[in-house]
Amino acid sequence: MAVYVDADACPVKTEAERVATRHKTQIFFVSNGGLRPSQNPLVQMIYVADGPDVADMWIADRAGAGDVVVTNDIPLAAKCVAAGAAVLRPDGDALTQANIGNILATRDLMADLRAADPFRQGGGRAFSKADRSRFLDALDRALRAAARASPPR
């Protein structure tokens, strides 16, 4: 059981570390660099080479059943869900087998709409304290569920 964080633009790194530490769970922050190392022995900073999706590939190659992945990257989330990992967005929304197909299709549709209309850019709402709170609760629940599902050592 481990937590993998797609850390480059993740707004909940501190919260993820705090919850993982409370659950005594190894956490991997994966990025292209620029993150300050943690002194926490449960935290591993993984710095991958620059390039498109290199951090995503590192996570997708390792995450599986019993793991929790934190990402806003929908294609990465789809790969991790397919591998059996629990996937959370930074706002606490869970991405599952039941909803990942619709979310992936919506993402692709919105990309097509933005490409067709150059004035349709940006949007979305700002990350809020309520999002942060939902994430803390969702990660805590996901780690408890993973601990119950994993065989005793």
Side-chain angles (χ1 to χ4, degrees), residues 3-10 28-32 48 52-64 67-90 94-97 99-101 103-105 107-108:
V3 176
Y4 295 91
V5 179
D6 185 4
D8 279 323
C10 181
F28 297 90
F29 289 111
V30 186
S31 77
N32 297 98
V48 296
D53 303 324
V54 177
D56 298 350
M57 288 184 287
W58 192 95
I59 294 169
D61 288 345
R62 288 159 181 82
D67 295 326
V68 178
V69 175
V70 178
T71 187
N72 240 341
D73 185 289
I74 303 306
L76 169 60
K79 290 174 188 168
C80 294
V81 166
V87 179
L88 297 174
R89 293 177 100 165
L95 302 174
T96 66
Q97 288 284 358
N99 67 9
I100 193 67
I103 293 170
L104 196 53
R107 172 198 173 269
D108 293 342

Side-chain angles (χ1 to χ4, degrees), residues 5 21 23 35-36 73 86 89 105 111 128 131:
V5 179
T21 300
H23 286 271
L35 294 182
R36 193 171 287 141
D73 185 289
R89 293 177 100 165
S128 70
D131 293 328

